Structures are given as C-alpha cells and as structure tokens.
C-alpha cells in the first residue's frame, strides 16, 4: 500500500510523490513509516530523510520541522530541505569541515556563538550525508 509523501519547505516543494517506505529523522530517533501506519504527528530534527519510491532510496536533507502521518498521507513541513542528488558532495564536505573548524574555534564562554556553530555543523552534516558522503 503506497504512501503519498509531500516535503514542503518555505520556498518550494521538494518531494511530492508516492513511496513504499520512508525513514524520518524525528527528534526522538529514526522513525520508519510504511503503508497503514497509525496517525501520528512528530517533530523532526535536522537530518536525512530517506524515501523509497521503488527499489532505490532517495536521500533528502531536512533542516527540522514537523511530519504528520494520516491515512497513508505523509505531510512534512520543514524549515529547509534539499535532495541529496542535487548537492555537490565536494562542496558539502568543504562546508562540513569549515563548520567543524568553527565549532572548534568558538569560545565556550560565548554560548550563543557555540550554539550557532553547532547548529551549522548539524546542517552541514545532514547535507553531506544526503549527498552520499561519510562523516568520520
């Protein structure tokens, strides 16, 4: 039983198609969704959503938001999203490394700067992983 999956960001619809299965980065961990899933609303963390429209998986970097599952329809509203196949892996790796350096350079006395650096690192990690890169 296929799911209808929509990923909607403020500036565009990133995904609007049927899928057999998806894995969401909820704030409490990875959440697998199949047809016939019980109704659910959950907060999403920054991370990679994986959707399987057929035999192959598609990765989408999500920048946090919410998902609603009801009657085999999954609506995902996020602050930002980007398909992994549209992300340049080298650029994503460079951004991830720069974000790591920013976290290392941030002063522990400046909590706001540290928080912003860690959030940028999480976004960069999600983009790199969605592009197929590994994080060591």
């Amino acid at each position: 039983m296929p799911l209808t999956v929509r990923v909607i960001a403020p500036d565009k619809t990133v995904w609007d198609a049927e899928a057999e299965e998806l894995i969401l980065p909820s704030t409490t961990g990875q959440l697998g969704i199949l047809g016939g899933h019980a109704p659910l609303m959950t907060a999403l963390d920054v991370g990679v959503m994986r959707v399987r429209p057929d035999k192959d998986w598609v990765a989408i970097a999500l920048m946090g938001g919410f998902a609603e599952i009801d009657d085999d329809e999954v609506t995902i509203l996020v602050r930002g999203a980007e398909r992994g196949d549209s992300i340049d892996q080298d650029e994503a790796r460079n951004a991830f490394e720069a974000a790591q350096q920013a976290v290392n350079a941030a002063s522990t006395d400046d909590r706001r700067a540290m928080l912003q650096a860690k959030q940028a690192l999480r976004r960069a990690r999600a983009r790199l992983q969605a592009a197929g890169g590994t994080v060591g």
Side-chain angles (χ1 to χ4, degrees):
M1 176 177 342
L3 300 161
T4 300
V5 180
R6 288 181 192 87
V7 177
I8 303 166
D11 59 339
K12 62 186 170 187
T13 298
V14 178
W15 182 273
D16 188 0
E18 288 191 343
E20 295 298 318
E21 180 178 4
L22 72 141
I23 300 171
L24 295 170
S26 80
T27 55
T28 57
Q30 297 292 311
L31 180 62
I33 308 294
L34 296 169
H37 197 283
L40 172 73
M41 180 164 238
T42 186
L44 299 176
D45 206 350
V46 172
V48 179
M49 173 184 118
R50 301 196 188 283
V51 61
R52 187 174 61 85
D54 46 43
K55 63 182 176 92
D56 295 322
W57 288 89
V58 176
I60 301 173
L62 301 181
M63 299 304 146
F66 294 91
E68 178 186 36
I69 297 107
D70 190 25
D71 200 24
D72 290 331
E73 290 193 16
V74 182
T75 303
I76 300 166
L77 302 174
V78 291
R79 289 186 273 284
E82 196 172 356
R83 283 182 60 141
D85 55 11
S86 70
I87 299 171
D88 178 89
Q89 196 174 99
D90 291 331
E91 182 270 324
R93 180 163 309 286
N94 291 338
F96 176 73
E97 290 170 0
Q100 278 183 314
Q101 291 174 356
V103 167
N104 294 339
S107 169
T108 55
D109 294 336
D110 187 350
R111 293 186 59 176
R112 182 175 181 176
M114 180 60 79
L115 179 61
Q116 288 174 336
K118 286 183 178 182
Q119 288 175 335
L121 179 62
R122 292 176 64 216
R123 289 190 300 268
R125 177 182 289 119
R127 288 187 75 245
L128 177 58
Q129 289 174 330
T134 57
V135 178

